[in-house]
Structures are given as structure tokens and as C-alpha cells.
């Protein structure tokens, strides 16, 4: 869907390249997270995709078409764009903000209005109470939701998101991340997502591209990157607790021993819908190093032991 | 009080003369303001994307601002002679600096993220200007227009020196003939006009500020 080929950007008056010979593919429907320390070129890379920045060398294809040959204005209307500070228009109502791209595309008022309501509902804002409000009447989290609704309104096949949740508090961020995952699962977009937060990358990304000094250091699934960091830089970047992060990606049902029997009386329980990481505290507290896994109704469906969890970490095959 | 009474008497006795002077004054100020805005707002907006042009334009109008109003009027004399036209042109030039400066400042202070997202969503340069930058800058631009309007209304008094007419006629005649009541026939309405202009534009500014940006 998105193909970057030997992409290079050298800014005038700067010694090194901001983006250096970057080749990267993002498959249709996939969320690719660009991550790295500040100045690694992740935002520059993203802004070259919708031509807010022109590359020095290299090519970018979106949906099989070379973006350099497209009209930038036309191109951007088909690429959703969300930035950290949202950039809502303060003089427009929420409805008018969300309607920006459909209006540029010349949609009829009826279709436009329906789309605005649909988008607001999608991001969890009641259209009836938010349509006519203004950005400054909203909280930071609500503004971010409007930003996402606005980017989705023109139904673009591709979305670019530059640290979209960087400016909201951690609790709101976690909620917005989960909701975005649900929305993306429902609408099926190809997403390039920039962040400097490793946990966010692991949570949001189907694949993660780690950049350093404009170069691609590693590109892989979150599990691949956690299990086999390409070099000491990546290893340090993902953090000393990468084993724990790895456990966070494993669902309990995938590693437990299924079966209702064998549960010791009074054994601690964990929910079927948690991760191996989430089950860890209960395991630590369990006298015999094993807990009973229960479903939503509290019925036992399996047992999870320390050995099961350890197997995840010793099993080097990613995925 | 007797002076004031005499001034009122004069107006009552010469209603046509007073009305003519008032109408000329308003016409002169109004048309000069209109032209200053029609030139100043596009000029201020045009230079926001061209730093070098902005440097020239802003410094140009600021230098112009330091020239005393009377001198601006006097400069017109050798080129355009006397009467309405040179007075009108001089006043339009006098009103230009605050409008150009405020338009530029108003657009420059628009949240860069709003502009970035507008471009990123596929607005053309002129769409960004018309749909985002100008509406957001409206309060600041109007503040410039207000300053300019007050300067023009007050400055129009000086048009009397180059035969432009207006309420200044009473003032210059009053001074020339040492008739203080005649001087007041010009001075009081001009003052009232300037204050009314200030208040009127303040109200307009509030009314035209987009709802989402009003201070509660």
C-alpha cells in the first residue's frame, strides 16, 4: 500500500541526512509504527508521504502511484492526517471541523451531515451534544477524538498519525489507544503512526519500524522486536523490561493448560481475557505457583502455571 | 457654558453649512478608511508568506506612520493640488499602517498546528487563507481597522488646510478669526465622532469575532 524506496531527505544547512536511504513497505490494512529518539527522522518520513516535505532522493508510492507525480492537494485529501496538537479550527464548530475534507471533496450537505454524525459516534462523542460546540469547550481527550473523526471523515484509505495521543494524560491515552484499535479494526485503514513511546508502539503496531539518525534499524512485529532486538541500540530502546512487555502480548488462553478439572480448592483465579503479564501478580501470590483461569461467568476453564509463562520467554520463535 | 451656547447657536443658525461640513467629513473619512482597508488587508495577508516582502512592507508602512498627519497632507499639495481628492488620498495613506501591521500580526499568530492540519488535509494555499487564517485573524485585523478609523476621523480635520473641507474648516476659521465658539463647532463634533468610531468598531469587533473564539 505504501512503499518507500531509498527515501532520503537532506535539509538545507544541515550536515547529515534527516532521513537516510530508507526503504520500507506498509501493507494494506496494516498499522506501521515509526519510532525512535527525537531527531531520528520519523516525523520527516511521515510528512514526505503526504508531501508536506519533498524528498531529496528516493520514491514514495501510495496505492501503486508515485506521490511525486500526484497533485499534492489532491493527494492529501485522500490521506487522513492527525497531529499531536490536533490543530482543530477554533472558529469552527465541531461539526464543521469534522466536515473539512468532505467539504473540500464537494459532498452534498445531506451526505456531509450524515457523515459528521457517523464519525462523531464512531469516536465516542454524542453527535447531538457535540456537533454545535467549539473546540475550546472540549477537553484534551475529546479534541483528540475530534481530530481522529476529522481525519477519517473523507474515508481516506491511508491515515498518517503523528503522536496523536502525545499531549493527553496517560489514562486518557490508554483509553484512546484502545478505541483507535477498535476503530481501525472496524474501518480497515493503512496507518503510519509516529510515536516515541515504546509501549504505545507495541500496543498499536502490527509492525514497528525503529529509526535512528534517519536510518531504519529494525522493522518487524512487536514480538520480533521484543524477542530479537537487532542490536544493542534497539535492545536499550525497547527497555530492560522487554520480557515483561513480551508477556503483555500473550493472551492467557494461548499458554494455559485447558480443562476445568484439577483446580485446587482456594487457588487464586485470573480472567480468561487477560495477558500473561496481567496474570503475573496472581501467579506470584499463588502458593503452588499455579492459578485457575476462569471465564466471564467465573467458571474454571484451565490452569496457568509459572512453567507456562516461562515457556513463552524461553521459546525464541517470535509469534 | 456661554461659549458652548454660542457654538450651539451657530449650528442652529447655519444648519446647512454644518451639515455640509459633517457630510464631507464623514465621506472623506469613510472613503479613505474603505480604501485603506481594501489595500491594507490584502497587502498584509499577501506578505505573510513572503518574509522579505513582509520586511519591506511593514517597515515601509511604519516609516510612513512616523510622518506627521499634517505633513502627509502637505506632501499631497504639490502633486494633486487642493480639494477632496488629495485629502482623501492622504488620509487613506495615513490609515494604512495599522491595518497592514495588524493583518500581518493577526495571521502570523494563528496556531501553526491549525495551519499545518489545514494543509495536511488538502486545502490549497488560498483555502487555508480564506477558511482558516483570515477568520481566525478577524479580531486582530478589526482592531487595526479601528485604530486606523480613529486616526482617519481625527486626521480628516487637517484636510481643511488643503481645502478638503469637513469639520476642520470650522476649526481653522475659528483659529484664524480668534472665534473660540466657531472652533468648538468643529472640535466638539470631531471629538464625538472619534469616540463614536472607537466604540462602534469595538462593538463590530465583538460581533464579528467567531463564536468559538470569544472570551466567554
Amino acid at each position: 500500500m505504501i512503499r518507500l524506496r531509498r527515501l532520503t531527505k537532506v535539509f538545507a544547512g544541515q550536515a547529515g541526512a534527516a532521513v537516510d536511504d530508507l526503504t520500507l513497505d506498509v501493507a494494506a490494512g496494516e498499522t506501521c509504527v515509526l519510532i525512535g529518539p527525537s531527531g531520528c527522522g520519523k516525523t520527516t518520513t511521515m510528512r514526505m508521504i503526504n508531501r508536506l516535505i519533498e524528498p531529496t532522493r528516493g520514491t514514495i508510492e501510495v496505492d501503486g502511484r508515485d506521490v511525486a507525480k500526484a497533485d499534492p492537494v489532491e493527494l492529501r485529501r485522500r490521506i487522513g492526517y492527525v497531529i499531536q496538537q490536533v490543530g482543530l479550527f477554533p472558529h469552527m464548530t465541531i461539526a464543521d471541523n469534522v466536515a473539512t475534507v468532505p467539504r473540500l471533496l464537494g459532498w452534498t450537505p445531506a451526505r456531509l451531515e450524515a457523515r459528521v454524525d457517523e464519525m462523531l459516534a464512531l469516536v465516542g462523542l454524542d453527535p447531538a451534544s457535540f456537533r454545535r460546540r467549539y473546540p475550546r469547550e472540549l477537553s484534551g481527550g475529546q479534541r483528540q477524538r475530534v481530530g481522529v473523526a476529522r481525519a477519517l471523515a473523507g474515508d481516506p484509505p491511508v491515515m498518517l498519525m503523528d503522536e496523536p495521543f502525545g499531549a493527553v494524560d496517560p489514562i486518557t491515552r490508554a483509553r484512546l489507544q484502545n478505541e483507535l484499535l477498535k476503530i481501525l479494526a472496524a474501518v480497515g485503514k493503512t496507518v503510519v503512526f509516529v510515536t516515541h513511546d515504546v509501549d504505545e508502539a507495541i500496543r498499536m503496531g502490527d509492525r514497528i519500524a525503529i529509526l535512528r539518525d534517519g536510518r531504519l534499524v529494525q522493522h518487524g512485529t512487536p514480538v520480533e522486536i521484543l524477542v530479537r532486538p537487532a542490536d544493542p541500540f534497539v535492545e536499550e530502546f525497547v527497555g530492560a523490561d522487554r520480557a515483561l512487555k513480551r508477556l503483555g502480548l500473550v493472551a492467557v488462553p494461548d499458554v494455559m493448560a485447558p480443562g476445568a478439572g484439577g483446580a485446587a480448592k482456594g487457588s487464586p483465579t485470573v480472567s480468561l481475557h487477560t495477558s500473561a503479564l496481567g496474570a503475573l501478580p496472581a501467579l506470584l501470590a499463588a502458593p503452588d505457583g499455579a492459578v485457575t483461569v476462569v471465564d466471564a461467568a467465573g467458571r474454571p476453564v484451565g490452569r496457568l502455571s509459572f512453567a507456562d509463562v516461562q515457556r513463552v520467554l524461553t521459546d525464541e520463535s517470535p509469534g | 457654558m456661554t461659549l458652548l451656547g454660542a457654538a450651539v447657536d451657530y449650528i442652529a443658525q447655519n444648519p446647512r453649512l454644518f451639515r455640509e461640513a459633517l457630510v464631507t467629513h464623514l465621506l472623506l473619512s469613510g472613503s479613505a478608511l474603505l480604501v485603506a482597508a481594501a489595500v491594507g488587508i490584502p497587502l498584509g495577508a499577501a506578505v505573510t508568506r513572503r518574509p522579505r516582502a513582509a520586511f519591506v512592507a511593514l517597515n515601509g508602512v511604519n516609516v510612513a506612520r512616523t510622518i506627521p498627519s499634517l505633513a502627509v497632507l502637505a506632501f499631497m499639495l504639490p502633486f494633486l493640488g487642493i480639494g477632496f481628492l488629495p485629502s482623501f488620498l492622504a488620509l487613506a495613506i495615513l490609515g494604512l499602517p495599522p491595518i497592514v501591521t495588524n493583518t500581518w500580526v493577526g495571521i502570523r499568530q494563528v496556531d501553526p498546528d491549525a495551519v499545518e492540519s489545514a494543509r495536511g488535509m488538502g486545502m490549497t494555499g488560498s483555502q487555508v487563507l480564506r477558511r482558516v487564517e483570515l477568520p481566525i485573524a478577524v479580531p486582530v485585523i478589526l482592531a487595526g481597522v479601528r485604530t486606523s478609523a480613529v486616526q482617519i476621523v481625527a486626521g480628516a480635520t487637517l484636510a481643511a488646510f488643503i481645502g478638503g473641507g469637513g469639520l476642520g474648516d470650522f476649526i481653522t476659521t475659528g483659529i484664524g478669526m480668534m472665534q473660540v465658539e466657531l472652533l468648538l463647532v468643529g472640535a466638539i463634533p470631531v471629538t464625538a465622532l472619534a469616540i463614536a468610531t472607537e466604540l462602534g468598531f469595538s462593538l463590530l469587533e465583538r460581533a464579528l469575532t467567531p463564536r468559538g473564539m470569544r472570551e466567554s
Side-chain angles (χ1 to χ4, degrees):
Chain A
M1 188 66 176
I2 302 175
R3 292 156 61 94
L4 312 182
R5 285 293 172 273
R6 312 208 62 171
L7 192 63
T8 301
K9 176 68 190 179
V10 184
F11 285 108
Q14 273 182 18
V19 176
D20 193 0
D21 203 22
L22 178 69
T23 293
L24 185 71
D25 282 349
V26 183
E30 178 182 278
T31 298
C32 175
V33 176
L34 302 180
I35 188 170
S38 33
C40 71
K42 52 193 192 292
T43 295
T44 304
T45 302
M46 166 175 285
R47 287 163 56 92
M48 283 194 280
I49 297 173
N50 65 356
R51 291 189 63 185
L52 286 171
I53 296 177
E54 298 292 348
T56 310
R57 278 188 298 280
T59 58
I60 301 171
E61 273 178 28
V62 173
D63 213 358
R65 291 193 299 191
D66 185 351
V67 300
K69 296 194 179 92
D71 170 40
V73 164
E74 212 59 47
L75 174 78
R76 290 175 198 145
R77 289 177 188 175
R78 303 193 318 110
I79 298 180
Y81 189 49
V82 186
I83 56 176
Q84 182 179 355
Q85 299 298 342
V86 201
L88 293 183
F89 306 136
H91 61 298
M92 291 186 191
T93 61
I94 299 307
D96 286 335
N97 266 284
V98 174
T100 304
V101 174
R103 204 161 268 155
L104 290 171
L105 294 172
W107 290 18
T108 63
R111 187 174 169 213
L112 210 115
E113 206 173 310
R115 184 67 176 172
V116 166
D117 286 0
E118 186 191 342
M119 288 301 106
L120 286 177
L122 183 69
V123 298
L125 297 173
D126 174 28
S129 78
F130 280 93
R131 232 179 334 215
R132 272 184 263 284
R133 288 164 82 174
Y134 285 91
R136 66 162 194 176
E137 299 165 349
L138 270 54
S139 70
Q142 288 169 337
R143 278 182 221 170
Q144 278 302 353
R145 287 166 197 260
V146 176
V148 172
R150 185 171 69 168
L152 285 166
D155 202 15
V158 174
M159 297 265 286
L160 305 180
M161 311 184 87
D162 191 356
E163 303 207 26
F165 309 135
V168 294
D169 65 87
I171 294 171
T172 309
R173 186 182 314 150
R175 194 185 307 145
L176 290 175
Q177 286 168 347
N178 284 330
E179 286 176 18
L180 181 63
L181 283 173
K182 274 187 210 143
I183 291 169
L184 291 178
V187 296
K189 303 288 180 195
T190 306
V191 181
V192 176
F193 190 110
V194 163
T195 184
H196 61 262
D197 175 353
V198 174
D199 292 306
E200 183 165 73
I202 292 168
R203 189 184 286 210
M204 303 305 297
D206 295 315
R207 277 168 187 281
I208 299 175
I210 300 180
L211 275 66
R212 183 194 191 187
D213 299 332
R215 292 181 155 275
L216 184 66
V217 189
Q218 187 169 10
H219 182 216
T221 65
V223 171
E224 279 165 4
I225 281 168
L226 288 173
V227 172
R228 277 202 293 267
D231 63 13
F233 167 77
V234 176
E235 192 170 346
E236 194 191 339
F237 191 76
V238 296
D241 59 343
R242 63 189 172 92
L244 292 179
K245 286 174 177 147
R246 168 85 178 90
L247 291 181
L249 292 172
V250 175
V252 164
D254 293 343
V255 286
M256 71 180 185
K265 277 253 157 35
S267 154
T269 62
V270 296
S271 160
L272 187 62
H273 302 291
T274 186
S275 68
L277 179 63
L280 213 50
L283 272 174
L284 288 170
D288 57 350
V291 293
T292 304
V293 181
V294 296
D295 63 11
R299 288 184 296 262
V301 289
R303 298 260 307 155
L304 181 73
S305 69
F306 258 124
D308 298 327
V309 173
Q310 251 167 348
R311 216 174 324 113
V312 173
L313 295 176
T314 49
D315 177 12
E316 279 293 291
S317 74
Chain B
M1 196 61 218
T2 48
L3 271 180
L4 204 59
V8 174
D9 277 350
Y10 181 89
I11 295 173
Q13 280 155 25
N14 304 281
R16 195 131 55 104
L17 200 62
F18 179 75
R19 184 146 30 92
E20 233 163 63
L22 184 68
V23 167
T24 305
H25 200 103
L26 289 174
L27 221 61
L28 202 53
S29 313
S31 53
L33 180 66
L34 223 60
V35 168
V39 174
I41 295 174
L43 182 64
V47 299
T48 48
R49 290 196 173 82
R50 298 174 189 86
R52 220 174 305 164
F55 181 81
V56 173
L58 293 172
N59 282 298
V61 294
N62 271 318
V63 167
R65 208 206 303 249
T66 60
I67 303 172
S69 323
L70 189 57
V72 175
L73 283 151
F75 277 132
M76 290 291 149
L77 199 67
F79 303 109
L80 292 167
I82 59 166
F84 188 90
L85 186 70
S87 310
F88 151 77
L89 267 180
L91 288 172
I93 292 170
L94 185 71
L96 212 49
I99 296 180
V100 174
T101 311
N102 275 44
T103 303
W104 183 78
V105 169
I107 290 175
R108 284 293 302 255
Q109 53 108 62
V110 170
D111 178 10
D113 291 316
V115 176
E116 157 97 5
S117 67
R119 289 187 62 214
M121 283 188 293
M123 285 195 195
T124 63
S126 83
Q127 283 169 334
V128 174
L129 183 68
R130 281 182 290 113
R131 297 189 188 188
V132 180
E133 291 175 310
L134 279 177
I136 295 175
V138 154
V140 183
I141 294 173
L142 275 179
V145 174
R146 170 163 53 116
T147 308
S148 167
V150 173
Q151 275 179 16
I152 287 175
V153 164
T157 319
L158 301 171
F161 285 109
I162 58 168
L167 293 165
D169 276 351
F170 298 114
I171 299 177
T172 47
T173 315
I175 293 172
M177 297 170 68
M178 293 299 278
Q179 283 184 13
V180 180
E181 68 273 19
L182 195 55
L183 193 149
L184 289 182
V185 170
I188 294 172
V190 162
T191 311
L193 220 53
I195 293 172
T197 304
E198 169 80 22
L199 290 178
F201 271 96
S202 297
L203 291 176
L204 189 69
E205 217 175 292
R206 200 166 308 171
L208 290 186
T209 299
R211 247 192 66 208
M213 294 169 54
R214 275 181 222 167
E215 300 296 325
S216 69

